[in-house]
């Protein structure tokens, strides 16, 4: 696992955008796994700006979102489909039919989970999976004690996740306690994974996922099993890491190596 420590949230978003631009440049028909929450917002803004500057095109791209609230129709303002439409899809040249979000309002949500897995298989899997990080170490809506081999399925949200996500709902508005989420096994099948985390509130979860034991209690620790996972954090989210000097040294050595060999990371 590669750990990149940057000054602040803007630098994290810049780095994330660079990785996405490189991915699409190398493979214009990339299959991208996307995340919601506040962390990816600055990254999505940069991707929109790059598209508007004709630096990249999403015309051949397909996207799969990690999760969706169970029971919210796609047009509900608090659905993740609506979130993605508002913060990315409406502003780029992606074919709406190539954007996939779990069907939270499906009549048969269990079937919708199996169909989602099949859709990912049909396109040849995900090339680059973006992840945020819940304060309790969740990825997508894989809450602590999620099986590390789990597939897309219905998951119950923890009280902490419900509290953390309440900020997106109006007072008194119905906030789902259930979700459909890609499983950890599903996420680990992505060819590349990039997790972004910023702010001191994420520091304990970052330390657990990078330096803690491989454990279902910290679902994000499953990234320790992935051959191409990169964790991009700001100083605040890195503050609990015990081996920061080493991660900074690795980043410097890696950059120098690519420089000498004139290769793109
Ligand atoms: N299902 C989402 C996750 O995918 C996201 O990573 C997490 C953290 O969100 P934020 O980036 O706002 O801290 O929130 C939700 O639980």
């Amino acid at each position: 696992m590669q750990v990149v420590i940057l000054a602040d949230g803007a630098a994290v978003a810049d780095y994330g955008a660079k990785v996405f631009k490189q991915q699409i440049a190398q493979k214009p028909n990339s299959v991208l796994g996307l995340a919601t929450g506040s962390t990816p917002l600055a990254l999505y803004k940069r991707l929109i700006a790059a598209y508007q500057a004709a630096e990249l095109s999403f015309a051949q791209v397909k996207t799969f979102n990690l999760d969706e609230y169970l029971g919210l129709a796609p047009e509900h303002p608090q659905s993740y489909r609506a979130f993605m439409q508002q913060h990315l899809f409406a502003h780029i040249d992606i074919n709406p039919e190539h954007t996939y979000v779990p069907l939270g309002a499906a009549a048969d949500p269990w079937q919708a989970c199996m169909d989602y897995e099949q859709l990912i298989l049909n396109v040849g899997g995900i090339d680059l999976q973006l992840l945020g990080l819940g304060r309790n170490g969740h990825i997508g809506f894989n809450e602590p004690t999620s099986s590390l081999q789990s597939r897309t399925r219905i998951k119950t949200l923890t009280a902490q996740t419900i509290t953390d996500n309440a900020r997106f709902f109006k007072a008194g508005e119905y906030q789902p306690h259930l979700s459909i989420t890609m499983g950890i096994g599903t996420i680990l099948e992505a060819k590349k994974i990039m997790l972004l985390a910023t702010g001191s509130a994420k520091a304990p979860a970052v330390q657990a996922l990078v330096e803690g034991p491989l454990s279902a209690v910290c679902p994000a620790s499953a990234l320790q099993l992935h051959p191409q996972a990169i964790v991009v954090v700001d100083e605040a989210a890195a503050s609990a890491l015990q081996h920061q000097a080493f991660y900074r040294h690795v980043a410097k050595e890696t950059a120098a190596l690519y420089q000498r060999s004139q290769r793109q990371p």
Side-chain angles (χ1 to χ4, degrees):
M1 181 191 300
Q2 190 185 351
V3 179
V4 176
I5 303 172
L6 301 170
D8 53 27
V12 167
D14 288 342
Y15 190 100
K18 184 186 73 174
V19 170
F20 267 82
K21 286 182 209 171
Q22 277 173 350
Q23 175 63 45
I24 296 170
Q26 286 161 8
K27 189 179 181 240
N29 65 339
S30 289
V31 179
L32 304 175
L34 299 180
T36 55
S38 26
T39 305
L41 290 177
L43 162 56
Y44 292 154
K45 284 196 175 88
R46 283 156 174 77
L47 294 182
I48 291 169
Y51 160 68
Q52 289 170 341
E55 289 169 7
L56 85 165
S57 167
F58 293 83
Q60 299 175 59
V61 162
K62 290 186 174 71
T63 66
F64 285 82
N65 263 79
L66 280 163
D67 45 15
E68 178 58 279
Y69 284 111
L70 193 65
L72 291 193
E75 53 278 354
H76 187 288
Q78 305 313 333
S79 74
Y80 281 173
R81 163 60 74 177
F83 177 101
M84 292 306 304
Q85 186 63 23
Q86 178 188 348
H87 294 292
L88 184 63
F89 298 155
H91 312 284
I92 58 176
D93 60 340
I94 196 160
N95 177 346
E97 286 170 22
H98 291 166
T99 63
Y100 300 93
V101 180
L103 297 176
D108 181 346
W110 292 274
Q111 185 59 49
C113 294
M114 292 187 283
D115 294 347
Y116 206 67
E117 287 279 335
Q118 189 58 51
L119 279 170
I120 295 170
L121 269 179
N122 292 349
V123 299
I126 290 170
D127 294 306
L128 172 61
Q129 176 67 57
L130 173 66
L131 297 176
L133 178 66
R135 280 196 307 152
N136 61 3
H138 76 239
I139 45 177
F141 272 131
N142 292 283
E143 297 280 35
T145 72
S146 290
S147 156
L148 299 184
Q149 283 296 331
S150 50
R151 310 305 302 187
T152 301
R153 71 212 181 289
I154 295 167
K155 276 300 277 183
T156 303
L157 308 185
T158 61
Q160 180 176 355
T161 297
I162 291 165
T163 303
D164 288 348
N165 289 357
R167 69 188 189 279
F168 295 109
F169 294 82
K170 298 186 189 72
E173 184 178 19
Y174 166 68
Q175 181 182 352
H177 290 192
L178 295 173
S179 67
I180 292 181
T181 182
M182 275 191 209
I184 295 174
T186 317
I187 291 167
L188 289 176
E189 287 177 354
K191 296 175 184 67
K192 284 181 238 165
I193 297 176
M194 176 168 65
L195 183 146
L196 306 184
T198 58
S200 54
K202 302 292 175 73
V206 168
Q207 195 283 328
L209 89 91
V210 175
E211 300 173 341
L214 174 65
S215 163
V217 169
C218 176
S221 66
L223 268 56
Q224 296 173 16
L225 294 170
H226 195 275
Q228 264 201 293
I230 180 168
V231 174
V232 189
V233 289
D234 64 4
E235 295 286 355
S239 56
L241 288 170
Q242 302 300 304
H243 306 291
Q244 293 185 46
F246 176 62
Y247 306 137
R248 296 177 201 276
H249 177 65
V250 168
K252 209 177 291 176
E253 288 293 326
T254 307
L257 176 62
Y258 279 117
Q259 184 76 32
R260 284 197 302 274
S261 49
Q262 264 94 47
R263 280 187 60 166
Q264 284 276 9

